[in-house]
Amino acid sequence: MNAPEATGRFEADEVDAWFGTKQVLRKVNLLIPERRITAVIGPSGCGKSTFIRCLNRMHELVPGARITGRIRLDGENIYAPEVDPVLLRRRVGMVFQKPNPFPTMSIRDNVLSGLRLTGALDRSRAEAIAEQALRGAALWDEVKDRLGEPGIGLSGGQQQRLCIARTLAVSPEVVLMDEPCSALDPIATARIEDLLSELKARYTIVIVTHNMQQAARVSDRTAFFLTGELIEVAETDTLFTSPTDRRTEDYITGKFG
Amino acid sequence: MQTSPKRHTDREYEAELQQVRERLLVMGGRVEEMIGNAVRAVGERDAGLARATIDLDHKVNRAEMEVDELCLRILARRQPMASDLRFLTLALKMVTDLERIGDLAVNICERAIDLRSETRLEGLDTLERMATVVQGMVRDAIDAFVHNDAERAQQVIDRDDEVDELYHVYFRDVLAVMVVGADNVERGVHVQSVAKWLERIGDHATNLAEIVIFMVKGKDVRHAGKLDP
């Protein structure tokens, strides 16, 4: 599935999703351009996290959850029977709300854990990948002298960058981020946001956030979801200054609910 | 076109935006009054009215600073979005136009004081007509702003042509009077300046109206078709 022209472009086409009998996404059509940052915003329960979990087939891991419609990554249907979800998740990594380094692992082993799950690594190659991933996550300078120490000993912001490094170590095309800064202080948040602008040169990034100012600061495009529907998607500058749909306007100006 | 009556969930924020709206309304009303008084002071050679009107300008200047401060505070504290963002950034621009209109009214009042012992030039009622039109333009631009009414704002823009036309006609009329007698020249130059300032007020009212259209529609109509490609 790793075609040389793979760039991390997603196309969602008429996507519906359910938890049991409860429908949480309705006819979502959304193009996520490669190597740009797309922010997904909307009130709690609007389906934004479910949507990005459909992009790396994590939604189906929940018992009773299902999805219909098509999602293509670089033109290929990610729900085709021949697609191995584990391999897909290497191409489409995810960073979660709460930093979740493996508590018993060192910083180095945390970074390499994804790779080790998929096969043996020789020592020198492992060191090179760990350094590259930690540099990519803007954490290398802070941890290079203590790679053998527990990952859990880092600050919250550093732990989140460690999780980003873990995601980058498997060379994904797409990085999905589900509220990656909501547990972080403003300085740690600024570091992650600064990092995002560097990462988009190499990766497609989709970030779910409750923080509209964050979406406005970091993203190129913004998609607004409401009760499972994609209401509006536009260039971020346009969406936050002159949205076209009244529901978007009401939400982002705080006239909602 | 009216916006939905929906209010902000945060009532304090709603009140802050309302405060900006009200301050602008008061400021607009004040400069409108200054225009009327200034032209009346010229016509009636009323130096007392001219001085009282010049004093009003301090309030306009103060209002400009207050609105600026309010807007900056809201921008910093609330990080407004969409129509709120347009409203606040445009309020910052509107106060500048309103303050300039106040200054132009002061200029007219100063001419009224210079002309206080001079007789009126005959047959030149156009100044009053110009004043009436530009006063209406300022009033309607402010009303359009307060009511998010792009149509009314467009009518303001359309009326600017009438002001320009009145100005050109008046300029030629005064020139003709000045050619007839050297005694008319000083008065003529003064009233031509007054007409020029009224014409400038019309331009500021047009700016205000263009701002309103952008605020309501999110569409910039300034310099329509007149920018380099």
Side-chain angles (χ1 to χ4, degrees), chain B residues 71-120:
Chain B
C71 290
L72 286 178
R73 204 185 326 145
I74 298 172
L75 286 168
R77 291 172 55 118
R78 306 285 186 182
Q79 289 109 42
M81 293 286 191
S83 60
D84 295 338
L85 181 62
R86 300 203 299 276
F87 169 75
L88 287 165
T89 52
L90 297 174
L92 285 168
K93 289 168 79 85
M94 290 186 88
V95 288
T96 307
D97 276 305
L98 288 172
E99 191 273 338
R100 286 294 300 141
I101 293 173
D103 288 346
L104 291 165
V106 167
N107 290 351
I108 295 172
C109 288
E110 286 166 352
R111 287 297 172 274
I113 294 168
D114 293 340
L115 288 164
R116 65 188 179 283
S117 10
E118 305 276 352
T119 54
R120 283 185 65 143

Side-chain angles (χ1 to χ4, degrees), chain B residues 25-41 49-50 52-57 59-60 98 101-102 105-106 108-109 131 134-136 138-139 142 201:
Chain B
L25 198 57
V26 169
M27 193 177 170
R30 196 154 275 149
V31 300
E32 192 193 318
E33 182 188 348
M34 286 177 72
I35 301 166
N37 286 351
V39 173
R40 195 146 56 85
L49 178 61
T53 305
I54 290 172
D55 284 343
L56 266 184
D57 194 44
K59 290 187 177 170
V60 170
L98 288 172
I101 293 173
V106 167
I108 295 172
C109 288
V134 299
Q135 249 182 309
V138 172
R139 180 172 52 241
I142 297 294
I201 290 174

Side-chain angles (χ1 to χ4, degrees), chain A residues 5-10 32-35 73-74 173-174 204:
Chain A
E5 69 273 18
T7 51
R9 174 191 179 88
F10 265 117
I32 295 170
E34 64 274 22
R35 291 181 189 144
L73 173 58
D74 299 326
E173 292 159 45
V174 182
T204 301

Side-chain angles (χ1 to χ4, degrees), chain A residues 212-213 216 239-243 246 248-250 252-257, chain B residues 3-4 6-10 13 78-79 81-86 214 218:
Chain A
M212 278 183 295
Q213 278 71 33
L239 192 118
F240 285 114
T241 54
S242 304
R246 164 62 61 188
T248 315
E249 165 80 29
D250 286 345
I252 66 178
T253 56
K255 291 176 192 152
F256 199 80
Chain B
T3 55
S4 107
K6 239 178 196 174
R7 289 174 183 276
H8 293 82
T9 309
D10 185 329
Y13 181 31
R78 306 285 186 182
Q79 289 109 42
M81 293 286 191
S83 60
D84 295 338
L85 181 62
R86 300 203 299 276
F214 180 57

